Amino acid sequence: MSLSENFRTEKDTLGTIKVPKDAYYGAQTQRAIENFQISNKRFPRSIIRAQGLIKASAAATNMDLEILPPTIGKAIIQAAEEVVNGKWDDQFVLDVYQAGAGTSQNMNVNEVIANRATELMDPRSGVERIHPNDHVNKNQSTNDTFHAAMQIAAIEMINEKLLPILQDLYKELDRKATEFMPIVKSGRTHLHDAVPMRLGQEFSGYAETIHSLIKQLQHSADKLYEVGLGGNAIGTKGNVHPDYHAKIIEEINRRTNLPFRQPKVIFEFMQNTGAPIRVMTTLKEISVHLIKITSDLRLLASGPRTGLAEITLPSVQPGSTIMPGKVNPAILEMTHMVCCQVIGYETAVATAGTASQLEINVMMPLIAYTLLESIDIMYHAVSTLISKCISGIQGNENICKQFMESSLALVTALSPIMGYDRASQIGKEADEKNITIKQTLEQKGLLTPEIEKALEPKGLI
C-alpha cells in the first residue's frame, strides 16, 4: 500500500488535511497532532471517560428535549458509552500541552464519537453522517464541557481511590498507635531530648493528622460537584435549550450516582478554576504532612547501630551497590519524592489559575492533567506506603527504654521540687559527667524517695 493509500482527506474551516485512513478522529484532531508535539504526555483515561459521560448525557438530554433525532442520538450514546468503557482509548492522541481551554481535546472526543456513531447508524436511516459539532457537541462548548469533565474525573478519583486509601492509612496508623502504646520512650523537640512519652502517642499524632486531612479533602472536594454544563461559551447559555442545563446534570447524576449540581452563579464557574485550585491546595497540605510523617519514621528507624533505631521498618530491597547487607527506608523515600512532586504540581496549578482572564481560564488542559496526575500518584504512593511499610513497622522497646532512661529531659520532674534553676544545674552536671540524672542525684546525696518517684518516666507522661 502506498503512503497516499494510508490516509484519507478531510476538510475543516481551514481547508483540507490528510488523516490516517483508519483513525476515528478527524481534521481538527489531526491539526492539533501536527501543531503540538511537545511532551508525549496524554490525558489519563479518567478524563476521557468523563468526556464520554458528558457526550452520552448530552445526547440523551437532547433527545429528551426533542432537538436531536433518536436515530442519531442513540448512535451517539452507544459510541460515547464505548468511549466511557475504554474501547477507543488509542484514538485519544493529543499532547497535554495544546491550544488553550481544551478545544482540541474536546474535538478529539467529538470526532471519534461522530465517526464511530456514523459507523453504527442503520443504513436505512437516511443519515449520511453524524457531525461532530452539530450533533455530538450540540448544546455544548469546550468551555463548559472540558471544565466539567475535569471536575467529574477528579471527584470520581478522589471518592473511589484517594479518600479510601487515606482512610486505610489512618486506620493502620491508629492500629500501630494502639500496638505501641505500652512502649515508653524519650520525646524530642528541636531534635534534642524532651520529656518521656509513649511510642503509641507519637503514632496517634500521625493518625489524627491523616484523619483531619481526610475531612479537609472531603470539604474542599465538594466544590467539584458544581458543574456549569449548559453554560456554553461564557455562561450566557447561548444556543442552548432553556431546559438543557438542568436536565443534563440530572442525566450525569443518574449515570455517575453522584450529586453534581448547578453553580449558584454560572459565570463564576466559567471564569475560574477555583475547585481544582482548592483541591490541589489540600493535596499540597496532605503532601506536607506525609513528608513530616515519613521523615519522622526515617529518623526513628535510623541506624541500625549508629542511629535512633527506635523502630524497625520492613526490608523491601537491598540498599547499596557497594555496602553488603545495607537496607534503606526505600518506601519512605519514594513517598517523600511523590509528595515533593505534588507540591510542585500545586504551584503549577496555582500559577495556571492566575491565567483566568475575563470569561475563561485557557490553562485548563494543564490544570486537568496536573490535578488528575497528583491524585493518581498520591493514591499509589499511599497504597504502597501502607502495605510495604506502615503495616510491618515494629517498635524496639529496649532501645526506647535506654534512650529514655539516659535522657537529660528527666530533670523536668525536679523543677516542682527544687526549682527550675537548681534542676537546670543538676541537668548540666549530668551532661558534663555523661551520667544520668538519677546517678547525679545519687552522687550529691539528693535522691530522696520523693524525687525517685518523681523521676519515674510514666509519671511524666
Side-chain angles (χ1 to χ4, degrees):
M1 183 180 288
S2 67
L3 182 63
S4 61
E5 292 175 317
N6 289 328
F7 293 87
R8 67 181 190 268
T9 300
E10 288 214 1
K11 184 178 181 181
D12 61 11
T13 56
L14 296 183
T16 60
I17 189 170
K18 290 189 179 298
V19 178
K21 184 179 179 180
D22 296 328
Y24 279 93
Y25 56 79
Q28 292 195 48
T29 302
Q30 185 62 38
R31 290 194 191 280
I33 292 172
E34 295 178 7
N35 287 334
F36 307 112
Q37 294 290 335
I38 309 301
S39 69
N40 202 35
K41 291 180 180 177
R42 305 289 182 258
F43 284 107
R45 103 148 314 271
S46 58
I47 197 166
I48 295 168
R49 178 184 183 280
Q51 288 182 291
L53 277 169
I54 290 171
K55 300 303 176 181
S57 298
T61 301
N62 288 330
M63 282 197 301
D64 186 50
L65 294 172
E66 300 182 347
I67 55 177
L68 186 68
T71 51
I72 294 176
K74 288 178 181 178
I76 291 174
I77 290 172
Q78 183 177 339
E81 288 176 344
E82 290 178 353
V83 168
V84 170
N85 294 326
K87 186 173 182 178
W88 305 112
D89 282 359
D90 63 338
Q91 297 296 309
F92 299 98
V93 293
L94 298 184
D95 200 291
V96 167
Y97 303 101
Q98 56 178 262
T103 300
S104 299
Q105 179 66 19
N106 186 37
M107 282 309 302
N108 191 171
V109 176
N110 287 336
E111 289 176 342
V112 169
I113 292 174
N115 286 326
R116 174 58 178 155
T118 299
E119 193 175 70
L120 292 169
M121 285 288 293
D122 188 332
R124 297 168 296 178
S125 67
V127 178
E128 293 185 7
R129 180 192 176 212
I130 292 179
H131 197 282
N133 298 81
D134 295 338
H135 299 134
V136 181
N137 203 59
K138 192 175 188 64
N139 273 331
Q140 302 156 66
S141 164
T142 294
N143 302 352
D144 64 333
T145 59
F146 187 85
H147 193 165
M150 166 173 58
Q151 296 193 185
I152 291 170
I155 194 63
E156 285 192 327
M157 289 180 69
I158 289 170
N159 287 343
E160 294 170 12
K161 298 174 76 173
L162 188 54
L163 280 171
I165 205 64
L166 289 173
Q167 288 281 5
D168 289 346
L169 177 59
Y170 160 68
K171 291 175 184 177
E172 193 61 30
L173 287 169
D174 190 55
R175 186 179 73 82
K176 286 294 175 182
T178 301
E179 178 185 334
F180 296 151
M181 206 57 78
I183 300 177
V184 178
K185 55 162 286 179
S186 175
R188 296 178 181 86
T189 58
H190 306 268
L191 294 181
H192 282 238
D193 300 354
V195 293
M197 67 183 305
R198 299 180 184 276
L199 182 60
Q201 290 175 321
E202 204 161 33
F203 272 74
S204 73
Y206 304 150
E208 186 56 31
T209 296
I210 299 301
H211 192 231
S212 297
L213 290 168
I214 289 168
K215 294 177 182 178
Q216 187 169 329
L217 180 58
Q218 290 170 328
H219 177 73
S220 63
D222 181 72
K223 187 73 171 175
L224 293 170
Y225 289 115
E226 292 186 5
V227 292
L229 290 169
N232 214 314
I234 62 171
T236 56
K237 305 174 185 176
N239 290 342
V240 176
H241 189 285
D243 296 328
Y244 174 84
H245 63 287
K247 285 184 173 293
I248 190 173
I249 290 179
E250 290 176 4
E251 181 66 17
I252 291 286
N253 291 352
R254 185 185 72 79
R255 287 176 174 269
T256 62
N257 198 31
L258 291 172
F260 292 100
R261 59 185 183 268
Q262 298 175 45
K264 184 177 180 181
V265 178
I266 199 166
F267 298 102
E268 183 258 349
F269 173 86
M270 302 301 297
Q271 291 172 3
N272 303 292
T273 51
I277 291 170
R278 182 178 298 179
V279 171
M280 277 303 305
T281 300
T282 302
L283 295 182
K284 176 183 177 179
E285 185 169 349
I286 292 171
S287 297
V288 168
H289 288 289
L290 280 175
I291 287 173
K292 184 266 191 289
I293 292 170
T294 55
S295 295
D296 278 9
L297 296 178
R298 287 165 67 197
L299 278 172
L300 293 173
S302 59
R305 297 294 176 86
T306 60
L308 298 182
E310 292 186 342
I311 62 172
T312 300
L313 306 176
S315 299
V316 296
Q317 65 182 53
S320 174
T321 59
I322 189 172
M323 292 174 280
K326 190 171 188 291
V327 179
N328 296 336
I331 303 302
L332 299 175
E333 293 166 344
M334 172 279 298
T335 306
H336 194 141
M337 287 185 221
V338 168
C339 291
C340 288
Q341 182 66 78
V342 172
I343 290 170
Y345 278 161
E346 189 276 336
T347 301
V349 169
T351 304
T354 67
S356 289
Q357 295 173 316
L358 302 178
E359 274 59 70
I360 192 175
N361 186 312
V362 296
M363 301 296 161
M364 284 193 290
L366 171 63
I367 293 170
Y369 174 81
T370 307
L371 171 64
L372 299 176
E373 173 75 358
S374 297
I375 296 169
D376 190 53
I377 62 174
M378 181 165 284
Y379 162 75
H380 287 291
V382 173
S383 177
T384 303
L385 175 66
I386 296 168
S387 63
K388 293 186 178 294
C389 182
I390 303 296
S391 63
I393 292 176
Q394 297 178 349
N396 297 327
E397 186 169 5
N398 288 336
I399 292 176
C400 288
K401 183 179 180 181
Q402 290 170 20
F403 279 132
M404 181 268 298
E405 289 179 345
S406 64
S407 172
L408 295 177
L410 290 175
V411 77
T412 305
L414 303 181
S415 288
I417 299 172
M418 60 179 62
Y420 185 91
D421 292 340
R422 181 69 174 132
S424 296
Q425 189 60 40
I426 296 294
K428 183 179 179 182
E429 189 172 328
D431 189 27
E432 289 172 348
K433 293 181 178 180
N434 195 27
I435 58 178
T436 67
I437 298 297
K438 189 173 182 179
Q439 288 170 332
T440 304
L441 291 167
E442 285 177 333
Q443 289 181 3
K444 300 177 77 66
L446 297 174
L447 189 62
T448 65
E450 179 190 11
I451 289 178
E452 191 165 11
K453 183 178 180 180
L455 287 174
E456 283 293 325
K458 290 184 179 179
L460 290 169
I461 298 175

